[in-house]
């Protein structure tokens, strides 16, 4: 008798992203250092933050293109839902790359707003409309006090969209092909990241956190613009 496929729920995806984010920030013993140490290794070698971020992203893209790069992570990252170890490793490395970019740009990674933006960057979701509706000037890096204008209720709405994006992008009726779920992973997961897709994610992270360009990605929030606007103005 064939085993019935398990439907991946929004709660499953949320737990997976939150677990990965926590480990991205705090690192994994004997595998990767905390995010501040990771970032400072580049910041101490370059004259400014932009150059340091570009050097970090370039290095990560190059590593991701090398076959077997993520094999060292296998079995180390345990996710709250059952997914192959190498997919968990892919998710970890990509999210860590995005979080490091945000850190270098001066964002507080403990902020709920920044955490949501990191998820949106990974998922390829544009939050431009939400940013504008919160009265935030786009095209420049947001100050920490400014980003706090986006209330928790709006973040919940965005996170729901991000979760559904992961669930539905590569599946039907909520059944996810986990081998294709994570951006940057091709058919041969064991071979490492797909170079082109990883570069897209890296470029998106730089534009979001250093240039204030929140248009990158798909505008999956358009259908609920009025709802989000009402949440922000309540």
């Amino acid at each position: 008798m064939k085993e019935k496929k398990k439907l991946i729920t929004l709660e499953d995806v949320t737990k997976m992203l939150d677990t990965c984010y926590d480990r991205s920030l705090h690192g994994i013993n004997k595998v990767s250092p905390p995010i501040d140490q990771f970032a400072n290794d580049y910041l101490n070698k370059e004259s400014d933050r932009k150059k340091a971020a570009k050097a970090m992203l370039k290095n990560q893209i190059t590593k991701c293109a090398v076959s077997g790069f993520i094999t060292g992570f296998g079995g180390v990252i345990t996710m709250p839902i059952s997914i192959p170890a190498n997919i968990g490793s892919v998710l970890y490395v990509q999210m860590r790359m995005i979080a490091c970019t945000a850190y270098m740009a001066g964002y507080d990674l403990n902020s709920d707003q920044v955490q949501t933006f990191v998820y949106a960057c990974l998922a390829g979701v544009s939050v431009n409309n939400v940013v504008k509706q919160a009265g935030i000037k786009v095209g420049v890096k947001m100050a920490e006090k400014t980003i706090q204008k986006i209330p928790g209720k709006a973040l919940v709405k965005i996170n729901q969209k991000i979760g559904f994006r992961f669930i539905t992008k590569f599946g039907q009726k909520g059944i996810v092909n986990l081998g294709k779920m994570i951006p940057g992973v091709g058919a041969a997961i064991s071979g490492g990241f797909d170079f082109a897709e990883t570069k897209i994610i890296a470029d998106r992270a730089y534009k979001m956190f250093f240039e204030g360009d929140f248009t990158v990605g798909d505008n999956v929030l358009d259908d609920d613009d009025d709802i989000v606007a009402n949440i922000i103005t309540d």
Side-chain angles (χ1 to χ4, degrees):
M1 187 181 206
K2 288 186 178 180
E3 183 180 350
K4 187 177 181 180
K5 289 184 179 180
K6 180 184 181 298
L7 295 181
I8 305 299
T9 67
L10 181 60
E11 183 180 4
D12 289 334
V13 173
T14 299
K15 287 181 179 179
M16 180 175 66
L17 291 174
D18 289 348
T19 297
C20 190
Y21 190 77
D22 179 74
R23 290 170 186 171
S24 294
L25 268 56
H26 297 100
I28 299 175
N29 187 35
K30 297 182 180 180
V31 174
S32 56
I35 201 73
D36 57 341
Q37 292 183 28
F38 177 50
N40 287 332
D41 183 50
Y42 289 92
L43 290 169
N44 292 333
K45 296 176 183 177
E46 298 291 343
S47 58
D48 63 53
R49 289 179 177 269
K50 289 184 177 181
K51 288 183 179 180
K54 289 179 179 179
M56 181 274 296
L57 291 169
K58 182 179 180 180
N59 191 38
Q60 295 306 299
I61 293 169
T62 301
K63 285 184 177 180
C64 291
V66 177
S67 177
F69 168 64
I70 64 172
T71 56
F73 292 89
V76 175
I77 303 171
T78 303
M79 291 294 181
I81 61 175
S82 180
I83 60 175
N86 50 356
I87 292 181
S89 301
V90 168
L91 181 63
Y92 174 77
V93 173
Q94 289 194 331
M95 185 179 287
R96 187 170 165 83
M97 179 176 70
I98 298 168
C100 186
T101 304
Y103 178 90
M104 288 179 166
Y107 287 92
D108 179 9
L109 295 177
N110 293 311
S111 161
D112 290 340
Q113 287 84 353
V114 174
Q115 183 174 348
T116 293
F117 283 14
V118 169
Y119 292 177
C121 182
L122 180 65
V125 170
S126 170
V127 293
N128 189 57
N129 291 329
V130 176
V131 169
K132 289 192 296 184
Q133 287 161 1
I136 300 171
K137 185 178 179 181
V138 298
V140 295
K141 188 182 82 66
M142 292 186 294
E144 282 302 322
K145 291 183 179 179
T146 304
I147 196 175
Q148 300 301 326
K149 290 182 179 180
I150 302 176
K153 289 182 179 179
L155 296 181
V156 170
K157 194 70 180 179
I158 298 169
N159 283 326
Q160 286 177 344
K161 289 292 184 178
I162 292 169
F164 286 128
R165 174 64 178 272
F166 275 107
I167 290 173
T168 62
K169 183 175 181 180
F170 295 108
Q172 293 179 349
K173 299 180 180 179
I175 299 175
V176 177
N177 180 341
L178 289 171
K180 298 180 179 178
M181 183 176 110
I182 309 303
V185 181
I189 299 173
S190 61
F193 295 170
D194 175 81
F195 178 88
E197 288 299 321
T198 304
K199 187 177 186 304
I200 289 172
I201 294 172
D203 291 343
R204 183 186 299 148
Y206 186 87
K207 288 179 180 179
M208 283 184 65
F209 295 107
F210 274 96
E211 298 178 357
D213 182 359
F214 299 99
T215 62
V216 290
D218 296 334
N219 265 321
V220 298
L221 300 180
D222 285 345
D223 292 341
D224 287 331
D225 279 349
D226 292 338
I227 297 175
V228 175
N230 290 334
I231 291 173
I232 290 175
T233 54
D234 281 347

